[in-house]
Amino acid sequence: MTISPLLIETAQKTQAAARQLAVLSTDAKNQAIASIAQALENAAPDILAANQMDCQQAQADGIAKPLYNRLKLDEAKLKGAISGLRDVEKLADPVGAIQINRELDQGLNLRRLTCPLGVLGVVFEARPDAVIQISALAVKSGNGVILKGGKEAINSCRELVKAIRQGLATTAVNPEVVQLLTTRSEIIELLQLDKYVDLIIPRGSNSFVQFVQENTRIPVLGHADGICHLYIDREADISKALPIVIDSKIQYPAACNALETLLVHQQIAPQFLPKLAAELQQKGVELRGDSHSQKIVNIAPATDADWQTEYTDLILSIKVVENLEAAISHINTYGSGHTDGIITEDQEAAQTFMAIVDSAGVFHNCSTRFADGFRYGFGAEVGISTHKMPPRGPVGLEGLVTYKYQLIGDGHIVATYAGNNPKPFTHRNLL
């Protein structure tokens, strides 16, 4: 396909600016992040006004409730995002870390050092706060970033990127490291820029992520589903389990780490489910259950499709299971590999669950909503990956660097170490 010359020029500018950023000092990058934070605080009234325009238009267009919740950027949410940005400033620089320092022979030394990926292409739906998180992580990790937000967030994204670039303009970091695309046609074109973009990060619905994965040769970091489970074991403390389930479901139901399916051991179900159902139904949660749970509480029937659905809404499916093994089997069959947890006082059961459940996050006696880069101390996250290969789970700075090998010699040649009388390598690790 034909890519617009303007987009190619934008990508080239981002790549060139990223290469300059890659060699800047930690202090220079931290100063840039601090300047971005200040610029965002100064621009807060304009950002919030732009977001209000987006929200009003989205409602007029009939936006789905989960997407609207992600789109809305109120004062508290904006302050939280800026706070996360300042946390990124405090984190250790992920660039230039020496992972291997080894003498191969006298005067021939090998080092493996972390280095930036290059340019990130981030495509997201209705998440203007992602602009702040991703820009901060990109600058700290020495990467450029090309952002493409959904049309529903266009005004918010424009104001955010405008403030970010204004902040960078007063620092050693070239503002061209952060770019914003604004038209739908640019998505497909961005996915074809494999000469300039090193990693694509999609953030959005299942179908959206799959679309990105199927239409690019650039490596993709992301997850298609967030079908998260909690298993209430027979040895669960009900006083702990109730608030954990409620928090996991309703604290922010539109999030990908919100609880979608609850599994309950058959021995504790008669005591636990009536109390849980009463609280959740009072809070407006629609409950759907298997035949066993329906005998205990008056809820709608669940179908096989419910076990495979990420609701991102106030809906919860419930299944009563025979034992721990049945719970694990259900999760490994229907789960998306995102985040799954067990509530129990039985340490052996917890250890078994956490060892065998095949997910990026496995939790014991806590809410699934903790699966988040900010809460993990990453400062922010660019997204969550459910791939088996790293990075996995919430992806912060460490997921935005790769490494390179540096070999320093003094006239060394391979022939010295080959043939009939080869010289041996010392392979001595250096401090």
Side-chain angles (χ1 to χ4, degrees):
M1 67 171 293
T2 302
I3 303 173
S4 74
L6 182 60
L7 181 56
I8 292 176
E9 182 182 355
T10 297
Q12 289 172 334
K13 288 180 179 179
T14 310
Q15 187 181 67
R19 288 171 177 168
Q20 295 169 1
L21 172 60
V23 297
L24 289 182
S25 68
T26 301
D27 286 343
K29 291 187 287 187
N30 287 341
Q31 288 169 11
I33 293 171
S35 185
I36 291 173
Q38 187 60 58
L40 288 168
E41 288 176 349
N42 294 342
D46 293 335
I47 294 168
L48 295 176
N51 183 254
Q52 188 173 15
M53 290 174 56
D54 287 333
C55 288
Q56 290 172 348
Q57 184 61 52
Q59 286 182 314
D61 292 341
I63 190 173
K65 183 181 176 182
L67 276 179
Y68 179 82
N69 291 338
R70 290 171 176 168
L71 171 63
K72 186 171 178 58
L73 186 64
D74 56 21
E75 185 176 355
K77 198 172 181 181
L78 179 58
K79 285 184 177 179
I82 295 173
S83 175
L85 191 153
R86 294 191 185 281
D87 286 338
V88 171
E89 179 188 349
K90 301 172 187 174
L91 295 175
D93 193 335
V95 177
I98 300 175
Q99 298 178 328
I100 294 175
N101 190 11
R102 181 172 299 153
E103 178 194 84
L104 304 189
D105 193 10
Q106 186 175 1
L108 183 64
N109 296 329
L110 175 72
R111 295 195 304 177
R112 190 172 78 187
L113 287 83
T114 55
C115 59
L117 290 171
V119 176
L120 316 174
V122 185
V123 191
F124 55 97
E125 295 177 327
R127 301 166 186 246
D129 56 321
V131 171
I132 300 174
Q133 297 179 26
I134 293 164
S135 297
L137 291 172
V139 170
K140 184 76 177 214
S141 59
N143 293 293
V145 61
I146 302 175
L147 299 155
K148 175 62 184 79
K151 66 175 183 178
E152 63 283 343
I154 185 64
N155 294 301
S156 307
C157 291
R158 278 177 173 154
E159 288 298 327
L160 286 166
V161 171
K162 177 183 175 182
I164 289 168
R165 287 172 65 98
Q166 286 175 342
L168 291 176
T170 64
T171 73
V173 177
N174 187 336
E176 299 290 352
V177 296
V178 180
Q179 305 280 358
L180 177 67
L181 307 183
T182 57
T183 65
R184 185 175 182 84
S185 62
E186 289 173 314
I187 296 178
I188 287 292
E189 294 182 59
L190 173 64
L191 299 181
Q192 309 311 310
L193 292 174
D194 51 292
K195 290 184 179 179
Y196 308 104
V197 178
D198 300 282
L199 180 69
I200 294 289
I201 305 173
R203 297 182 64 168
S205 65
N206 184 340
S207 58
F208 175 70
V209 174
Q210 289 184 341
F211 170 83
V212 170
Q213 292 171 334
E214 293 167 1
N215 286 276
T216 187
R217 292 181 297 179
I218 304 169
V220 177
L221 183 153
H223 71 285
D225 288 303
I227 304 174
C228 300
H229 300 76
L230 280 176
Y231 165 58
I232 311 302
D233 186 52
R234 65 181 178 183
E235 300 298 329
D237 181 338
I238 291 178
S239 66
K240 287 182 186 177
L242 284 171
I244 290 173
V245 173
I246 292 167
D247 183 82
S248 297
K249 180 69 255 183
I250 74 168
Q251 197 274 331
Y252 185 33
C256 61
N257 57 14
L259 176 64
E260 306 293 16
T261 298
L262 180 71
L263 306 173
V264 186
H265 193 288
Q266 61 184 2
Q267 291 186 19
I268 201 172
Q271 294 79 42
F272 178 72
L273 283 180
K275 294 180 181 179
L276 178 71
E279 291 207 34
L280 287 179
Q281 289 170 337
Q282 186 179 16
K283 297 178 186 298
V285 179
E286 176 188 339
L287 302 178
R288 303 173 184 178
D290 69 338
S291 58
H292 196 150
S293 61
Q294 289 179 76
K295 294 176 183 177
I296 301 172
V297 289
N298 183 23
I299 56 177
T303 67
D304 191 62
D306 284 299
W307 313 131
Q308 305 173 60
T309 299
E310 180 184 14
Y311 302 115
T312 60
D313 203 352
L314 291 176
I315 305 171
L316 179 67
S317 57
I318 301 174
K319 182 176 184 179
V320 175
V321 295
E322 183 179 357
N323 50 35
L324 171 65
E325 290 72 23
I328 293 173
S329 176
H330 180 98
I331 293 170
N332 284 341
T333 299
Y334 294 101
S336 60
H338 192 297
T339 302
D340 301 289
I342 181 173
I343 313 300
T344 186
E345 299 305 301
D346 183 338
Q347 295 299 316
E348 184 176 349
Q351 290 172 6
T352 299
F353 179 95
M354 298 176 81
I356 300 178
V357 168
D358 191 16
S359 299
V362 282
F363 293 1
H364 178 205
N365 284 352
C366 57
S367 171
T368 60
R369 288 281 293 120
F370 281 108
D372 176 84
F374 176 74
R375 297 185 179 101
Y376 281 8
F378 298 166
E381 68 183 31
V382 293
I384 291 182
S385 173
T386 55
H387 296 163
K388 297 294 184 67
M389 296 297 291
R392 197 180 190 197
V395 179
L397 291 172
E398 82 293 335
L400 299 180
V401 295
T402 183
Y403 55 78
K404 63 175 65 174
Y405 290 95
Q406 296 181 344
L407 186 61
I408 301 171
D410 186 19
H412 292 75
I413 59 173
V414 169
T416 305
Y417 306 92
N420 293 328
N421 188 28
K423 184 180 182 182
F425 290 103
T426 59
H427 285 163
R428 181 172 65 93
N429 289 329
L430 306 173
L431 296 178

